[in-house]
Amino acid sequence: MPELPEVERTRRKLEGVALQQTVASITTIEDTIVYQGVTHTAFADAMRGAAFAACHRYGKWMYSEMRLASPSATHRTYFFLHLGMTGSLRIKGLDNTEYRSAKIKYDPESEVWPPKYARFDLTLDDGTQMAFCDPRRLGRVMLVTVASEEDLFQVAPLAGLGFDPALRMPPADEFATAVRARKTAIKALLLDQAFAAGVGNWIADEVCYQARVHPARRTNTLSDAELAALHAALDMVIREACLLNGEYDSYPAGWLFHVRWGKAAHKKILSPDGDPVEFVTVGGRTSAFVPKLQKLRPATPDQDAAAADDENAMAIDEDNVLKTPGRRRRQQHAAQEAESELSSLEDSDEEETPSTRRRRQRQQRIDQLRRDGAKRKDPAERSESPSASPPRKRSRT
């Protein structure tokens, strides 16, 4: 999945070709999943004749202020784009390989335009052709209209996001206070977009590795030195990756990034220093770590109890419809399953084939039937119950 450095690289590419350019023509594909809050036809109508006035990024979202063909005197319109898991913004004639786990290879020498999986493709007034491709349809396209740019952070999708480490890394003491205010696994906290917008799976693993902190360590067990190390590591990883324009082949040789992708191959993996790398699931995500350097310090019973209370409170805050512990557990279980499915797809270096897709979908149906069956009473109990009605016979005509 593209994370902050990869999205920043895409933003720079967009800015380089589109800034102050006008959309001369645009073709969109109907997709009620990718297009959010706007139909594909309304999006095309708004973008046609509009100019890119500015290109920004916050977290994993890119957004561009558009000067519409018929502008409003009181409001501004912004084009928002989220790359999802395998989305990419492609410029005709350029090498558009964006990130490490890209599944769709792009060859500018033998390109077909519009590219496969294009949700929209447009032509700028200087002839530049651009398309957004999204094989798994987990990306998002939105139009947001507000009175000022400051108002963007009061509405979706930016409302509720935490600090962006590349735009405003908080001071070390402020960071430590925010971490200590939560009682969960440190990697789960780093992945929380309400805490740090733009941090994804590989960045969180790299930060924990560089800070020599186990990804499952509870935030309320971290020492002052460990919090300082995490702050410095997060700042360094984001700054270095953005400085290198998200080109992963150029990342420092001492980064865990270069070896963390080998789990799917079932082979022994060694860190840059030659130490064994192991994998564990934290926060529903596959996590790489080096046991020799990243020790898991056990929490005390009081700390475990506090962490459980904090996670229950987090679940209630995220969805105030949840009222009972049973419903809360089901919600958490479903969320963990969804996260695990996404992480397994992301961490695999192999492209999903039709046969593996069918097996995955079949297994999902089986799992759902099992969950549904667990909610029903045992058949023996139903037969013994005085209120149970006899089975109905199927009528024949």
Side-chain angles (χ1 to χ4, degrees), residues 329-353:
R329 284 194 298 270
R330 290 195 297 271
Q331 176 91 0
Q332 291 173 328
H333 180 65
Q336 290 171 355
E337 286 187 333
E339 286 288 341
S340 297
E341 179 185 349
L342 287 177
S343 63
S344 65
L345 290 171
E346 174 188 343
D347 293 326
S348 174
D349 284 336
E350 300 178 357
E351 184 173 353
E352 187 178 39
T353 63

mmCIF file of all heavy atoms in Angstrom, residues 329-353:
data_model
loop_
_atom_site.group_PDB
_atom_site.id
_atom_site.type_symbol
_atom_site.label_atom_id
_atom_site.label_comp_id
_atom_site.label_asym_id
_atom_site.label_seq_id
_atom_site.Cartn_x
_atom_site.Cartn_y
_atom_site.Cartn_z
ATOM 1 N N ARG A 329 -17.553 -6.547 20.869
ATOM 2 C CA ARG A 329 -16.607 -7.604 20.520
ATOM 3 C C ARG A 329 -16.790 -8.045 19.070
ATOM 4 O O ARG A 329 -15.819 -8.301 18.359
ATOM 5 C CB ARG A 329 -16.778 -8.796 21.467
ATOM 6 C CG ARG A 329 -16.181 -8.581 22.859
ATOM 7 C CD ARG A 329 -16.085 -9.893 23.607
ATOM 8 N NE ARG A 329 -17.384 -10.498 23.826
ATOM 9 C CZ ARG A 329 -18.137 -10.250 24.905
ATOM 10 N NH1 ARG A 329 -17.711 -9.413 25.831
ATOM 11 N NH2 ARG A 329 -19.308 -10.838 25.040
ATOM 12 N N ARG A 330 -18.069 -8.164 18.627
ATOM 13 C CA ARG A 330 -18.307 -8.560 17.237
ATOM 14 C C ARG A 330 -17.756 -7.525 16.280
ATOM 15 O O ARG A 330 -17.202 -7.848 15.234
ATOM 16 C CB ARG A 330 -19.802 -8.788 17.008
ATOM 17 C CG ARG A 330 -20.349 -10.027 17.707
ATOM 18 C CD ARG A 330 -21.714 -10.401 17.162
ATOM 19 N NE ARG A 330 -22.722 -9.378 17.400
ATOM 20 C CZ ARG A 330 -23.476 -9.320 18.491
ATOM 21 N NH1 ARG A 330 -23.302 -10.211 19.466
ATOM 22 N NH2 ARG A 330 -24.383 -8.381 18.642
ATOM 23 N N GLN A 331 -17.940 -6.239 16.631
ATOM 24 C CA GLN A 331 -17.418 -5.170 15.774
ATOM 25 C C GLN A 331 -15.897 -5.237 15.697
ATOM 26 O O GLN A 331 -15.315 -5.119 14.615
ATOM 27 C CB GLN A 331 -17.842 -3.812 16.351
ATOM 28 C CG GLN A 331 -17.279 -2.604 15.613
ATOM 29 C CD GLN A 331 -18.181 -2.119 14.515
ATOM 30 O OE1 GLN A 331 -19.247 -2.690 14.309
ATOM 31 N NE2 GLN A 331 -17.762 -1.091 13.824
ATOM 32 N N GLN A 332 -15.241 -5.421 16.844
ATOM 33 C CA GLN A 332 -13.780 -5.505 16.853
ATOM 34 C C GLN A 332 -13.297 -6.716 16.068
ATOM 35 O O GLN A 332 -12.315 -6.638 15.325
ATOM 36 C CB GLN A 332 -13.273 -5.572 18.298
ATOM 37 C CG GLN A 332 -13.463 -4.271 19.078
ATOM 38 C CD GLN A 332 -13.103 -4.449 20.538
ATOM 39 O OE1 GLN A 332 -13.276 -5.527 21.095
ATOM 40 N NE2 GLN A 332 -12.625 -3.399 21.158
ATOM 41 N N HIS A 333 -14.008 -7.862 16.236
ATOM 42 C CA HIS A 333 -13.602 -9.077 15.529
ATOM 43 C C HIS A 333 -13.709 -8.875 14.026
ATOM 44 O O HIS A 333 -12.805 -9.250 13.264
ATOM 45 C CB HIS A 333 -14.488 -10.237 15.970
ATOM 46 C CG HIS A 333 -14.156 -11.541 15.302
ATOM 47 N ND1 HIS A 333 -12.955 -12.179 15.491
ATOM 48 C CD2 HIS A 333 -14.860 -12.302 14.426
ATOM 49 C CE1 HIS A 333 -12.941 -13.302 14.783
ATOM 50 N NE2 HIS A 333 -14.074 -13.393 14.120
ATOM 51 N N ALA A 334 -14.805 -8.271 13.565
ATOM 52 C CA ALA A 334 -14.978 -8.028 12.138
ATOM 53 C C ALA A 334 -13.922 -7.079 11.604
ATOM 54 O O ALA A 334 -13.377 -7.266 10.514
ATOM 55 C CB ALA A 334 -16.376 -7.457 11.872
ATOM 56 N N ALA A 335 -13.594 -6.042 12.392
ATOM 57 C CA ALA A 335 -12.573 -5.083 11.961
ATOM 58 C C ALA A 335 -11.205 -5.748 11.865
ATOM 59 O O ALA A 335 -10.438 -5.507 10.939
ATOM 60 C CB ALA A 335 -12.515 -3.902 12.926
ATOM 61 N N GLN A 336 -10.889 -6.611 12.845
ATOM 62 C CA GLN A 336 -9.605 -7.304 12.813
ATOM 63 C C GLN A 336 -9.509 -8.232 11.614
ATOM 64 O O GLN A 336 -8.454 -8.345 10.981
ATOM 65 C CB GLN A 336 -9.407 -8.091 14.103
ATOM 66 C CG GLN A 336 -9.171 -7.208 15.331
ATOM 67 C CD GLN A 336 -9.186 -7.995 16.614
ATOM 68 O OE1 GLN A 336 -9.466 -9.195 16.616
ATOM 69 N NE2 GLN A 336 -8.912 -7.343 17.719
ATOM 70 N N GLU A 337 -10.624 -8.912 11.276
ATOM 71 C CA GLU A 337 -10.606 -9.790 10.112
ATOM 72 C C GLU A 337 -10.374 -9.001 8.835
ATOM 73 O O GLU A 337 -9.629 -9.411 7.951
ATOM 74 C CB GLU A 337 -11.923 -10.566 10.011
ATOM 75 C CG GLU A 337 -12.053 -11.677 11.037
ATOM 76 C CD GLU A 337 -13.278 -12.523 10.787
ATOM 77 O OE1 GLU A 337 -14.245 -12.002 10.200
ATOM 78 O OE2 GLU A 337 -13.263 -13.703 11.148
ATOM 79 N N ALA A 338 -11.033 -7.843 8.738
ATOM 80 C CA ALA A 338 -10.854 -7.014 7.548
ATOM 81 C C ALA A 338 -9.425 -6.522 7.434
ATOM 82 O O ALA A 338 -8.823 -6.539 6.356
ATOM 83 C CB ALA A 338 -11.822 -5.824 7.581
ATOM 84 N N GLU A 339 -8.846 -6.071 8.566
ATOM 85 C CA GLU A 339 -7.465 -5.599 8.554
ATOM 86 C C GLU A 339 -6.507 -6.729 8.186
ATOM 87 O O GLU A 339 -5.551 -6.537 7.442
ATOM 88 C CB GLU A 339 -7.084 -5.031 9.921
ATOM 89 C CG GLU A 339 -7.679 -3.675 10.221
ATOM 90 C CD GLU A 339 -7.020 -2.580 9.397
ATOM 91 O OE1 GLU A 339 -5.903 -2.798 8.878
ATOM 92 O OE2 GLU A 339 -7.626 -1.520 9.252
ATOM 93 N N SER A 340 -6.775 -7.945 8.708
ATOM 94 C CA SER A 340 -5.901 -9.072 8.408
ATOM 95 C C SER A 340 -5.940 -9.422 6.935
ATOM 96 O O SER A 340 -4.917 -9.752 6.326
ATOM 97 C CB SER A 340 -6.311 -10.295 9.241
ATOM 98 O OG SER A 340 -6.160 -10.036 10.614
ATOM 99 N N GLU A 341 -7.135 -9.349 6.338
ATOM 100 C CA GLU A 341 -7.248 -9.645 4.914
ATOM 101 C C GLU A 341 -6.461 -8.637 4.091
ATOM 102 O O GLU A 341 -5.719 -8.992 3.172
ATOM 103 C CB GLU A 341 -8.721 -9.628 4.491
ATOM 104 C CG GLU A 341 -8.904 -9.900 2.994
ATOM 105 C CD GLU A 341 -10.344 -9.751 2.562
ATOM 106 O OE1 GLU A 341 -11.220 -9.653 3.436
ATOM 107 O OE2 GLU A 341 -10.571 -9.711 1.349
ATOM 108 N N LEU A 342 -6.592 -7.348 4.431
ATOM 109 C CA LEU A 342 -5.867 -6.314 3.693
ATOM 110 C C LEU A 342 -4.366 -6.486 3.859
ATOM 111 O O LEU A 342 -3.605 -6.351 2.899
ATOM 112 C CB LEU A 342 -6.294 -4.924 4.171
ATOM 113 C CG LEU A 342 -7.690 -4.471 3.745
ATOM 114 C CD1 LEU A 342 -7.987 -3.101 4.355
ATOM 115 C CD2 LEU A 342 -7.830 -4.420 2.244
ATOM 116 N N SER A 343 -3.915 -6.777 5.103
ATOM 117 C CA SER A 343 -2.477 -6.894 5.329
ATOM 118 C C SER A 343 -1.909 -8.109 4.610
ATOM 119 O O SER A 343 -0.794 -8.066 4.105
ATOM 120 C CB SER A 343 -2.182 -6.997 6.827
ATOM 121 O OG SER A 343 -2.751 -8.162 7.373
ATOM 122 N N SER A 344 -2.671 -9.210 4.527
ATOM 123 C CA SER A 344 -2.165 -10.371 3.822
ATOM 124 C C SER A 344 -2.016 -10.083 2.339
ATOM 125 O O SER A 344 -1.085 -10.547 1.691
ATOM 126 C CB SER A 344 -3.100 -11.563 4.031
ATOM 127 O OG SER A 344 -4.369 -11.319 3.450
ATOM 128 N N LEU A 345 -2.932 -9.304 1.782
ATOM 129 C CA LEU A 345 -2.810 -8.918 0.377
ATOM 130 C C LEU A 345 -1.639 -7.988 0.180
ATOM 131 O O LEU A 345 -0.866 -8.111 -0.772
ATOM 132 C CB LEU A 345 -4.108 -8.225 -0.087
ATOM 133 C CG LEU A 345 -5.339 -9.118 -0.214
ATOM 134 C CD1 LEU A 345 -6.556 -8.251 -0.469
ATOM 135 C CD2 LEU A 345 -5.164 -10.128 -1.329
ATOM 136 N N GLU A 346 -1.465 -7.035 1.080
ATOM 137 C CA GLU A 346 -0.388 -6.052 0.947
ATOM 138 C C GLU A 346 0.973 -6.692 1.098
ATOM 139 O O GLU A 346 1.910 -6.369 0.368
ATOM 140 C CB GLU A 346 -0.564 -4.964 2.000
ATOM 141 C CG GLU A 346 0.578 -3.981 2.044
ATOM 142 C CD GLU A 346 0.476 -3.041 3.217
ATOM 143 O OE1 GLU A 346 -0.614 -2.933 3.808
ATOM 144 O OE2 GLU A 346 1.483 -2.413 3.544
ATOM 145 N N ASP A 347 1.109 -7.624 2.055
ATOM 146 C CA ASP A 347 2.421 -8.171 2.350
ATOM 147 C C ASP A 347 2.848 -9.233 1.359
ATOM 148 O O ASP A 347 3.984 -9.664 1.369
ATOM 149 C CB ASP A 347 2.437 -8.767 3.772
ATOM 150 C CG ASP A 347 2.284 -7.674 4.799
ATOM 151 O OD1 ASP A 347 2.784 -6.567 4.575
ATOM 152 O OD2 ASP A 347 1.639 -7.936 5.821
ATOM 153 N N SER A 348 1.942 -9.677 0.505
ATOM 154 C CA SER A 348 2.308 -10.660 -0.502
ATOM 155 C C SER A 348 2.939 -9.982 -1.697
ATOM 156 O O SER A 348 2.436 -8.988 -2.194
ATOM 157 C CB SER A 348 1.054 -11.443 -0.940
ATOM 158 O OG SER A 348 1.367 -12.294 -2.014
ATOM 159 N N ASP A 349 4.051 -10.533 -2.181
ATOM 160 C CA ASP A 349 4.713 -9.985 -3.357
ATOM 161 C C ASP A 349 4.198 -10.615 -4.639
ATOM 162 O O ASP A 349 4.625 -10.257 -5.724
ATOM 163 C CB ASP A 349 6.223 -10.218 -3.269
ATOM 164 C CG ASP A 349 6.868 -9.250 -2.294
ATOM 165 O OD1 ASP A 349 6.281 -8.191 -2.079
ATOM 166 O OD2 ASP A 349 7.944 -9.573 -1.778
ATOM 167 N N GLU A 350 3.303 -11.596 -4.519
ATOM 168 C CA GLU A 350 2.811 -12.276 -5.696
ATOM 169 C C GLU A 350 1.465 -11.697 -6.098
ATOM 170 O O GLU A 350 0.610 -11.423 -5.269
ATOM 171 C CB GLU A 350 2.645 -13.777 -5.408
ATOM 172 C CG GLU A 350 3.964 -14.455 -5.008
ATOM 173 C CD GLU A 350 3.751 -15.911 -4.691
ATOM 174 O OE1 GLU A 350 2.589 -16.357 -4.730
ATOM 175 O OE2 GLU A 350 4.736 -16.606 -4.404
ATOM 176 N N GLU A 351 1.285 -11.551 -7.429
ATOM 177 C CA GLU A 351 0.020 -11.015 -7.921
ATOM 178 C C GLU A 351 -1.082 -12.039 -7.728
ATOM 179 O O GLU A 351 -0.890 -13.244 -7.953
ATOM 180 C CB GLU A 351 0.157 -10.667 -9.406
ATOM 181 C CG GLU A 351 -1.090 -10.008 -9.964
ATOM 182 C CD GLU A 351 -0.873 -9.521 -11.379
ATOM 183 O OE1 GLU A 351 0.273 -9.578 -11.845
ATOM 184 O OE2 GLU A 351 -1.853 -9.089 -12.003
ATOM 185 N N GLU A 352 -2.241 -11.616 -7.310
ATOM 186 C CA GLU A 352 -3.358 -12.509 -7.066
ATOM 187 C C GLU A 352 -3.902 -13.015 -8.392
ATOM 188 O O GLU A 352 -4.290 -12.235 -9.252
ATOM 189 C CB GLU A 352 -4.445 -11.779 -6.278
ATOM 190 C CG GLU A 352 -5.565 -12.701 -5.837
ATOM 191 C CD GLU A 352 -6.595 -11.958 -5.007
ATOM 192 O OE1 GLU A 352 -6.889 -10.807 -5.330
ATOM 193 O OE2 GLU A 352 -7.096 -12.548 -4.036
ATOM 194 N N THR A 353 -3.940 -14.321 -8.557
ATOM 195 C CA THR A 353 -4.442 -14.923 -9.783
ATOM 196 C C THR A 353 -5.927 -15.201 -9.635
ATOM 197 O O THR A 353 -6.469 -15.206 -8.518
ATOM 198 C CB THR A 353 -3.696 -16.229 -10.075
ATOM 199 O OG1 THR A 353 -3.973 -17.156 -9.005
ATOM 200 C CG2 THR A 353 -2.186 -15.992 -10.162
#
